[in-house]
Structure formats: structure tokens, C-alpha cells
């Protein structure tokens, strides 16, 4: 699937919406308006946008604790998403999931997960179901570099390889697992090398801050999955700008690590590309920004004005 100019504008709009949405979430969380814990993917937007764009509505994603962007890219309504993050009854999980347990089965969003690597076996189960039903659906399963040290990762990839399941394992490699740099929890350089252990999994490492590269690699992985040739482990190198959780002062992080990351910003790079190729003008960019802002304000208003879940609803829809 070749990207048209229109597609590229849509991709850019998605990335910018994710960024502005999360900047607003940060502001509201630090202002005490949002309960619980928040993990932001600011800096990682190209992975969510590029990977979800070629998915069909009926395809599945399993996202992570850092999963707002993946939900927006899979088609979530930012009003309902914001309400869920606020813990309100109008949210996707009626306010009982919050930022870390976002799910919408209607949109094929199987759920963010507070358990690191917890979404991986769920995604493999969904891929097995798709294959069994011959539904032609694929699953995009997102996780971080830290998750690839979990037993669930190896067991899941083993089964997915043996059964040649229609799944794309997307590692959003931001090179940090909580407060530990990749070098302290992995003795190999690339997560994609881990694919070699399984047989039917194709491993690939790409520039996760180049949305077109991400998109094109994902298209190939989806085609391979739909042809029944098996899973792909797609490692997207990227960076998170914010702390592990919102409020984390990142004292463990060398200053130049963050500064060099910001000079490789996915949104700025794509904007420069679009301008240089005359796909958009500066005025178009301003207009896109101008359209996103009121939508985010509207989402916040909706969330703030929505009711909290009723106490008698506490155990409803809760099944484990
Ligand atoms: C099974 C489990 N172990 C530990 C934790 C605590 N924890 C939360 S996030 C995290 C790091 C995850 O790193 P990574 O998978 O790279 O994702 P990232 O946060 O970088 O997006 C850890 C250790 C947890 N939530 N679940």
C-alpha cells in the first residue's frame, strides 16, 4: 500500500493529535485533575501512527501502559478516551480502566496492560482465534524493550511461531525499562535478534522515528501475516521524552541522552519532509494545529463534566 499525499497528511494529523493530547494529559495530571498513574509516549508517536494506519478496523491491537497513542491511532474518540483517563462513567471502560487499562473491543483494542508483557499472550490468543476462524484479521501487539525480558514474551513468541499466527510483535524500543537502560537488561544490541530463536518469526529493526519507514515495514509485516507466513518482530527504535511515569524527574538519565533524542523528533522530521516535498504548506500545518486544539479542549470539557461511575456499578463488568 503506497501512501498518498492525503494519507501522509492523515498520518501527520494523527501524530500531532497524540502529542497534543498527551501534553494536555500531562498538564491535567500534574494539576491534580487525573487520578492514578500516567505513562506518556511523547516522542514515540511515529510508531503508534505508522503501525496502526495500515490496520483494518476489525484487526486487533494489544497496547501497553504507555498506550494512549496506540488507542488514538486505532481510531479512539479522544473525548471518550479522555473521559476514561479521568475515571468517568462515559469512558471506554466506564471509568474503571483508566490510563493503564484502556480497552475497546468495538475498535479491536484488546487492552492496555499494567503487567509488563501481560498483553503479549492475550494478543497471541487473539491471533490464534483469527487463524482458527479464518477471519483474515491480524494482531499488532505493542510492548517495550523491557517486556522482552519477561517469560511471557518467549512463551508467546514460541507458540506464535509454531502456529504461524497472523501477528506483528511491535517493540517500541525507547531504550529504557522504567529506570534501567537497555544495556543493563539485554546482552544483545537489537531486540529483533531475538526472533532468530523461534524459526518462523522474521525480525527487523527500523528507525521508529521515521513514520513512513514504520508504515512501510508494517505493511510488509501485515501482508506476510495475512498470507499465513507467520509473525514479524518489528523493533522500532524511538525515544520517550517524559519520565517513566508522569512526575518522574529522570535523575537517572544523562542529559545529553534526552537532548540528542529531541533533535531527532519524529513530528519535526515528518513536518520538514512534508514541507520539502511540497505536500503541505506552513499554512496547512497551522490549520492542522488549529483544528486539533479545540477538539482537545472539547475532550477535556466532556471528561470534566461527565459523571463518576456509581458506587453500585463497582463490580459490574468486572470479571476477574
Ligand atoms: C510483570 C511486571 N514487572 C514489573 C513491573 C513494573 N514496571 C512497570 S513498567 C516497567 C518497565 C517497562 O519497560 P518497557 O517494557 O521497556 O516499556 P516502557 O515503559 O519503556 O514503555 C516496569 C519494570 C510491572 N508493571 N509488571
Amino acid at each position: 500500500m503506497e501512501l498518498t499525499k492525503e494519507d501522509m497528511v492523515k498520518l501527520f494529523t494523527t501524530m500531532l493529535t497524540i502529542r497534543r493530547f498527551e501534553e494536555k494529559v500531562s498538564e491535567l495530571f500534574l494539576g491534580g485533575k487525573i487520578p492514578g498513574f500516567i505513562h506518556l509516549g511523547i516522542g514515540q508517536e511515529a510508531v503508534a501512527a505508522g503501525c496502526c494506519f495500515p490496520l483494518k478496523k476489525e484487526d486487533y491491537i494489544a497496547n501497553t501502559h504507555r498506550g494512549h497513542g496506540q488507542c488514538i491511532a486505532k481510531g479512539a474518540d479522544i473525548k471518550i478516551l479522555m473521559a476514561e483517563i479521568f475515571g468517568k462513567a462515559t469512558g471506554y471502560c466506564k471509568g474503571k480502566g483508566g490510563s493503564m487499562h484502556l480497552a475497546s473491543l468495538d475498535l479491536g483494542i484488546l487492552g492496555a496492560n499494567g503487567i509488563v508483557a501481560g498483553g503479549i499472550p492475550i494478543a497471541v490468543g487473539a491471533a490464534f482465534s483469527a487463524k482458527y476462524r479464518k477471519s483474515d484479521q491480524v494482531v499488532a501487539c505493542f510492548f517495550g524493550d523491557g517486556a522482552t525480558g519477561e517469560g511471557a514474551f518467549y512463551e508467546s513468541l514460541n507458540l506464535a511461531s509454531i502456529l504461524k499466527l497472523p501477528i506483528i510483535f511491535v517493540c517500541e524500543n525507547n531504550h529504557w525499562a522504567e529506570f534501567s537502560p537497555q544495556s543493563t537488561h539485554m546482552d544483545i544490541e537489537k531486540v529483533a535478534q531475538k526472533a532468530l530463536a523461534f524459526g518462523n518469526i522474521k525480525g527487523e529493526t527500523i528507525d521508529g522515528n521515521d513514520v513512513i519507514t514504520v508504515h512501510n515495514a508494517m505493511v510488509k509485516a501485515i501482508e506476510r501475516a495475512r498470507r499465513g507466513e507467520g509473525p514479524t518482530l518489528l523493533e522500532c527504535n524511538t525515544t520517550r521524552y517524559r519520565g517513566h511515569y508522569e512526575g518522574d524527574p529522570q535523575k537517572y538519565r544523562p542529559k545529553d541522552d534526552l537532548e540528542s533524542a529531541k533533535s531527532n523528533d519524529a513530528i519535526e522530521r515528518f513536518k520538514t519532509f512534508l514541507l520539502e516535498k511540497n505536500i503541505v504548506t506552513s499554512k496547512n500545518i497551522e490549520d492542522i494545529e488549529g483544528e486539533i486544539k479545540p477538539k482537545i479542549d472539547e475532550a477535556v470539557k466532556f471528561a470534566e463534566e461527565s459523571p463518576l461511575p456509581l458506587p453500585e456499578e463497582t463490580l459490574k463488568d468486572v470479571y476477574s
Side-chain angles (χ1 to χ4, degrees), residues 39 44 64-66 114-116 143-148 150 172 174 176-178 185 240 244:
H39 304 80
Q44 305 187 186
T64 67
H65 55 285
R66 207 176 295 291
I115 308 295
V116 171
F143 48 84
D145 47 306
T148 73
E150 290 283 349
E172 288 193 276
N174 60 23
W176 288 92
E178 216 165 28
H185 68 80
R240 68 164 154 84
H244 169 65

Side-chain angles (χ1 to χ4, degrees), residues 8-311:
M8 290 193 204
V9 173
K10 275 191 201 156
L11 265 177
F12 180 76
T13 307
T14 301
M15 287 167 71
L16 201 58
T17 303
I18 297 171
R19 173 79 51 98
R20 297 291 175 254
F21 180 90
E22 291 216 300
E23 285 168 348
K24 183 54 85 177
V25 168
S26 163
E27 184 190 314
L28 293 163
F29 179 78
L30 297 174
K33 298 241 174 150
I34 293 175
F37 261 111
I38 301 286
H39 304 80
L40 300 177
I42 295 178
Q44 305 187 186
E45 297 86 352
V47 183
C51 285
C52 290
F53 193 79
L55 293 175
K56 295 183 189 162
K57 184 168 184 277
E58 54 277 17
D59 291 331
Y60 297 117
I61 66 163
N63 45 327
T64 67
H65 55 285
R66 207 176 295 291
H68 307 150
Q70 298 141 11
C71 289
I72 292 173
K74 187 66 174 54
D77 178 325
I78 60 168
K79 280 165 70 177
I80 308 176
L81 190 61
M82 190 66 93
E84 187 56 46
I85 293 171
F86 267 72
K88 297 295 184 77
T90 51
Y92 275 110
C93 304
K94 301 182 187 170
K96 295 180 212 170
S99 168
M100 242 188 293
H101 300 95
L102 295 162
S104 166
L105 296 185
D106 291 343
L107 295 171
I109 300 173
L110 300 173
N113 209 307
I115 308 295
V116 171
I120 307 177
I122 296 171
V124 168
F128 175 72
S129 149
K131 183 162 180 159
Y132 187 75
R133 290 179 287 113
K134 299 187 175 45
S135 71
D136 204 39
Q137 290 162 293
V138 300
V139 185
C141 173
F142 293 91
F143 48 84
D145 47 306
T148 73
E150 290 283 349
F153 170 83
Y154 297 94
E155 294 174 40
S156 303
L157 267 72
N158 192 43
L159 191 63
S161 175
I162 289 166
L163 301 176
K164 286 195 178 180
L165 296 181
I167 183 162
I168 300 93
F169 296 104
V170 181
C171 179
E172 288 193 276
N173 191 351
N174 60 23
H175 306 281
W176 288 92
E178 216 165 28
F179 320 123
S180 311
Q182 181 184 314
S183 57
T184 62
H185 68 80
M186 252 176 66
D187 258 352
I188 51 173
E189 196 196 328
K190 295 176 178 173
V191 166
Q193 288 172 266
K194 298 191 181 193
L196 284 173
F198 302 101
N200 281 323
I201 303 186
K202 185 172 174 245
E204 192 180 357
T205 302
I206 58 168
D207 178 351
N209 276 9
D210 178 348
V211 71
I212 297 184
T213 298
V214 174
H215 170 271
N216 293 346
M218 189 66 179
V219 168
K220 280 199 212 140
I222 292 171
E223 285 170 357
R224 175 179 151 83
R226 291 206 210 278
R227 284 195 305 265
E229 290 172 14
T232 299
L233 172 57
L234 189 62
E235 176 185 15
C236 303
N237 281 320
T238 184
T239 327
R240 68 164 154 84
Y241 293 171
R242 309 292 303 177
H244 169 65
Y245 56 85
E246 207 44 12
D248 162 17
Q250 305 205 73
K251 287 198 178 143
Y252 51 86
R253 192 166 179 181
K255 228 178 165 195
D256 57 344
D257 177 58
L258 197 54
E259 271 151 22
S260 68
K262 288 191 176 171
S263 66
N264 182 31
D265 183 77
I267 294 182
E268 287 306 315
R269 278 175 64 184
F270 196 33
K271 189 196 288 181
T272 305
F273 171 87
L274 294 174
L275 288 167
E276 280 177 3
K277 299 275 175 202
N278 293 319
I279 294 167
V280 294
T281 61
S282 304
K283 168 83 174 64
N284 296 145
I285 300 275
E286 273 172 37
D287 289 347
I288 294 169
E289 279 275 12
E291 281 160 24
I292 292 171
K293 190 176 179 315
K295 286 187 189 155
I296 296 206
D297 292 344
E298 200 191 332
V300 176
K301 188 168 183 287
F302 176 76
E304 282 182 329
E305 289 175 357
S306 290
L308 285 164
L310 295 171

